[in-house]
Amino acid sequence: MRLWVLLSLLLLQETLPHVTGQPAKSKHPKEPGENKIKPVNKKVKPKTPKMKEREPADSSLKSQSILTQVMDKGRFQKLAATLSLSAGQSIELRCKGSNVTWSYPSYLDTFKDSRLSIKQLDRYGQLILANSTAADTGEYSCWLQLCNGNKCRKDETKTGSTYIFFTDKEELFVPTPSYFEIVYLNPDKPAVIPCRVTTPSAKVTLHREFPAEEIETDGTDIIYDVKKGFVYQHPTSDHKGIVYCKAESQGAPQISIKYHLLYVEVPKGPPSTTIAASSNRAEVSDSVHVVCTVLGEPDVDVNFRWQYPRQESERPVIIQNFWRLINRGTGHTTRISKSVLLVEDFEAGDAGNYICIAQNLQGETTVATKVELN
């Protein structure tokens, strides 16, 4: 009996589903519309949320270009850093704003060229250049003026600038009013040989007149800037002499004017000044002249002022100012500036101190000498 019960239990266990902790798979097909969750083994790359770029702290000061070129049929075009036009074309530029100031090649002002027209309208400034020439090549820029009463300043955030090449195959170099220029070589700052071209693609080389040779431009000590010319980054006395430029562009080469390079070596600062009288003792009715002398850089102007006896009573004197370049014999060039004060018919009231004040961009120097009556 026990054996029969044991066999019955074994048969019953085999007919039951096998359970191992997981539900048995359903053998009937999935009906449409039933939810079915499939195990996913595919690796999904997590999405990184896009971060908005942070605006710079001084975004309010970011410069906005306000310069445009007026095209045909009322179209406008924002200008790039450079623009090439054929000589003979006219151009109209506009700058947004009610108080616009313009800058352009200075010779247009020097000769008061009637081809140039500048107007300020309600919402923009307008510059029109008619019948352009190769000589008009250069920088054209504008900016807004911010004014408070009579005081105005440039709005650095609203400006516009472009360099315009007015190309002319007959004039590869921008014409100049002279046939010879002096370029001062100062050891403290770069020197520029301004042989600019009207065609930006022209090949330009630099040449020494004597000994006749091409000067190598290595891109470090001597570079060529199409908007400026050849730049000597660190001038020395070895660079002095006469040079010229040669340009080629789909035709015969053209030669620039000549440039005389003079080396300068004088201390920077207020004028180095001396004063001397023709005589420190004078007789009545004598003529006395007092000379104030300054040695300085060739391209730095000096202004003179005088103080002398009876000046307030408008005692008549003659004052003459002049300057010249001198070569100190070692390849160095210096400018000597002089102011001469002449007192005619010397009188007792003319005796006293004669004071010269010499001034340049670096400051001023005061010197004095005394003239007495014999």
Side-chain angles (χ1 to χ4, degrees), residues 218-230:
D218 55 10
T220 303
D221 290 329
I222 304 177
I223 63 173
Y224 184 71
D225 185 329
V226 73
K227 297 180 182 179
K228 297 178 181 179
F230 285 98

Side-chain angles (χ1 to χ4, degrees), residues 326-343:
I326 59 172
N327 193 318
R328 300 191 305 187
T330 57
H332 299 170
T333 303
T334 301
R335 173 169 167 162
I336 181 168
S337 303
K338 289 189 178 186
S339 183
V340 179
L341 182 146
L342 175 62
V343 180

